[in-house]
Amino acid sequence: AFLSLALPALLALGSCQEVPAMVAASAAAHTDIEAAWLPDVAAGIPLALARAAAEGALPEVCAGAGLGNDVDEEALLRKPVGLFYDLGAWEANLMECKTAFGEGFLHAAALKSNGLGPMLRRAHALGFGAECASIGEVIYDSPAKTAAEIRYALERGLHLNIDNFQELEVVAEVRAAVPSSASTLGLRLNPLAGAGEIAALSVSVADSKFGIPIDQKPQILQAFRKYSWLNCVHVHVGSGGMGEKVLVAGVKKAVEFALEVNKFLGRDQVNVFDMGGGMPVNYGSDAWHTEKVPSFHKYAAALRRDVPALFPGSVGCPFKRVVTEFGQSLNAKSGWLASRIEYTKPLPNDEGQKITIHFGADTCMRQCYTKEHTRRLEFFDGTTKRPKQASAERPVGTLHVAGPLCFEGDHLTRDARAPRLSRGDIVVLREAGANTLSLFSRHCSRQVPAVYGYRLNLGSPSEVIDWQLIKPSEDSEAASRHWGWEPDAKRPRSEVQ
């Protein structure tokens, strides 16, 4: 499928300059750099909630008498729910990534975590590229590319990573018809670095669906000898739950293999290195980094220490460009979902409450369907927009948080503890800036919620100084088109015969 994003600028790799060896800074100059100061997202949430309410992004829930005489489509779509990004925190995190690794790196943001067009355009302006598993990208990594997609990529000079030996032969046949292609062509290796804490995100195990196991060395070396246009080694160690040591070990193994390929060939044929895979995110607290969740600076410093040949311009490095493919670590912590509570009802024996909100398994599939992707839930007073406080009238009890879909599994939690909540109060799911909208489910045909961005001043008193609609909520026509309905009479409609 073609991405329908207005991102023609991302089809060029001009956002990263190839650097001569003499202009790259030495490893020692970077190892002492500390993580950049990153804004406290939590501190701005009450201010953003107040602004959202004022802007109509989180309208009050109302009784039937408050509707008026007519309900139009706009009223139907005006649901009290949205995805919100602290853009100041998001940009600061992007710049920490960029400064940590230095020159010669192209940071291709993984679109599978956040594909919002306005944010990608801003990331591109900051020097970032894009990566995903469909054709409208800069770094094209899909393990199921069709011959047509391969030709499209080669004709446009896109970077393409090859997943297996069968695909390599297809690429060779297509490239013979496009001999002048300027594409970087990489071979994806499985470094067999082991699993992380989340099995579904661990792609560096022996039975992984991705890449060619690195222990198939003779076949890999012959592939590079046979195809002189094969000039990149691609490795993807894993994403969430992968520790720094595992990530570094996987990159080190792949870099050493790339150096061995060049030695075997007697030339620097491999001159691009693509270190796919993400960094872990701290989902347990407001802190950006912990002992298990390193900063970009700490990760880069570990790579400089253990894999100095990775960095363009360093002694022994053959790479003109190194590509990263971070996703959740660039986006997750700066984003959060919010919904007003539509209804409440008591649990049996009055042990607590069950509340129904406007996001659940539609927007948070992993959180509802698995146990490995829990996120923090926070509760705010619908009037003051401040954290809900317990009192004698509102004691703390068990809370079930249910989403809007029509099946019993649509629960974000069944064991939260919170003060008694009211209709119109607000539920916030933290660290929702990645892998929420990109995993949106069509089950029950809910419309995709709107996305908003805001910036805070850093003075006292703090306030929201910038408010943006990044993406409006989906309308009923767009949602219907998914199922083959064509409201536009000018379009031919398919009929079942």
Side-chain angles (χ1 to χ4, degrees):
F2 289 81
L3 289 179
S4 58
L5 298 172
L7 294 172
L10 287 180
L11 294 181
L13 289 176
S15 55
C16 176
Q17 300 296 319
E18 296 179 358
V19 295
M22 296 304 294
V23 302
S26 67
H30 294 271
T31 53
D32 294 330
I33 296 178
E34 295 296 328
W37 175 84
L38 295 173
D40 180 4
V41 176
I45 290 179
L47 296 170
L49 288 174
R51 182 64 179 267
E55 295 284 348
L58 286 175
E60 298 278 356
V61 297
C62 66
L67 286 176
N69 296 325
D70 188 30
V71 175
D72 57 13
E73 182 176 358
E74 183 180 353
L76 290 175
L77 298 177
R78 199 183 304 121
K79 294 183 175 67
V81 60
L83 174 60
F84 301 84
Y85 282 92
D86 183 331
L87 296 176
W90 176 71
E91 289 181 0
N93 190 39
L94 262 62
M95 295 313 295
E96 188 206 355
C97 174
K98 187 175 179 181
T99 58
F101 288 90
E103 297 292 334
F105 279 73
L106 170 65
H107 300 290
L111 272 66
K112 67 182 179 183
S113 69
N114 177 10
L116 290 164
M119 294 182 74
L120 288 173
R121 286 192 288 271
R122 178 59 180 157
H124 181 257
L126 295 174
F128 282 69
E131 175 276 329
C132 83
S134 61
I135 193 63
E137 64 179 4
V138 173
I139 313 297
Y140 184 22
D141 282 342
S142 169
K145 308 177 195 72
T146 65
E149 290 173 332
I150 290 169
R151 176 145 189 167
Y152 181 91
L154 295 182
E155 288 177 341
R156 286 154 182 80
L158 304 186
H159 181 144
L160 184 148
N161 288 321
I162 299 162
D163 179 75
N164 55 72
F165 287 126
Q166 284 186 346
E167 184 187 336
L168 176 60
E169 295 309 312
V170 175
V171 171
E173 292 177 8
V174 174
R175 196 183 183 285
V178 193
S180 61
S181 174
S183 290
T184 292
L185 292 167
L187 196 62
R188 179 167 183 167
L189 305 183
N190 177 354
L192 302 174
E197 295 178 2
I198 302 176
L201 302 182
S202 299
V203 298
S204 191
V205 293
D207 62 348
S208 171
K209 64 179 280 188
F210 297 106
I212 301 170
I214 204 167
D215 57 9
Q216 296 183 23
K217 183 185 297 186
Q219 299 96 308
I220 298 171
L221 291 175
Q222 290 304 319
F224 277 95
R225 168 175 280 174
K226 183 177 180 180
Y227 301 115
S228 59
W229 39 257
L230 202 57
N231 67 332
C232 172
V233 164
H234 173 48
V235 62
H236 194 306
V237 180
S239 297
M242 306 299 292
E244 176 189 312
K245 290 183 178 180
V246 175
L247 293 172
V248 172
V251 172
K252 181 178 182 180
K253 188 178 292 188
V255 167
E256 290 174 345
F257 194 91
L259 297 178
E260 185 174 349
V261 170
N262 286 344
K263 183 178 179 181
F264 172 76
L265 298 174
R267 60 181 182 273
D268 285 347
Q269 179 172 316
V270 178
N271 55 24
V272 177
F273 186 83
D274 185 345
M275 46 180 283
M279 289 271 288
V281 173
N282 175 29
Y283 292 111
S285 72
D286 290 333
W288 285 81
H289 311 121
T290 67
E291 184 177 349
K292 290 186 176 182
V293 181
S295 67
F296 288 114
H297 281 288
K298 190 170 184 290
Y299 181 36
L303 288 169
R304 283 190 177 89
R305 182 190 66 235
D306 294 352
V307 201
L310 170 69
F311 291 81
S314 64
V315 176
C317 176
F319 308 129
K320 297 178 181 179
R321 182 174 64 248
V322 176
V323 179
T324 70
E325 299 177 2
F326 300 123
Q328 64 167 348
S329 55
L330 294 178
N331 295 289
K333 285 198 77 70
S334 58
W336 44 275
L337 280 160
S339 170
R340 287 193 185 268
I341 297 171
E342 193 66 48
Y343 297 110
T344 73
K345 53 186 176 183
L347 291 176
N349 303 317
D350 201 29
E351 293 179 352
Q353 288 179 292
K354 182 183 292 288
I355 62 173
T356 302
I357 61 174
H358 288 277
F359 65 83
D362 54 350
T363 314
C364 304
M365 288 184 66
R366 287 177 173 174
Q367 286 66 51
C368 291
Y369 286 107
T370 76
K371 297 180 180 179
E372 296 91 353
H373 298 275
T374 57
R375 298 291 182 268
R376 293 181 294 152
L377 289 168
E378 297 174 347
F379 309 98
F380 292 80
D381 186 280
T383 301
T384 68
K385 314 302 185 295
R386 308 298 302 178
K388 196 76 173 182
Q389 300 296 321
S391 65
E393 293 76 24
R394 297 188 175 280
V396 173
T398 299
L399 183 68
H400 294 192
V401 180
L405 301 191
C406 292
F407 79 109
E408 185 62 26
D410 185 17
H411 278 78
L412 288 162
T413 182
R414 294 176 185 266
D415 58 5
R417 301 286 294 174
R420 185 176 296 275
L421 300 172
S422 299
R423 189 169 186 241
D425 283 343
I426 299 170
V427 178
V428 168
L429 184 137
R430 297 292 304 278
E431 286 83 44
N435 301 318
T436 47
L437 291 196
S438 62
L439 290 169
F440 192 82
S441 170
R442 287 298 180 187
H443 186 45
C444 296
S445 297
R446 299 279 296 185
Q447 284 83 40
V448 180
V451 184
Y452 304 90
Y454 63 93
R455 287 186 173 86
L456 304 169
N457 71 342
L458 300 179
S460 181
S462 183
E463 61 180 338
V464 176
I465 58 172
D466 179 35
W467 181 264
Q468 302 178 32
L469 174 63
I470 294 176
K471 187 194 77 67
S473 60
E474 186 178 42
D475 60 24
S476 57
E477 180 177 334
S480 297
R481 188 171 292 119
H482 172 78
W483 298 107
W485 291 97
E486 294 292 349
D488 188 344
K490 296 180 182 179
R491 297 186 178 208
R493 293 195 300 180
S494 299
E495 300 292 344
V496 176
Q497 301 298 322

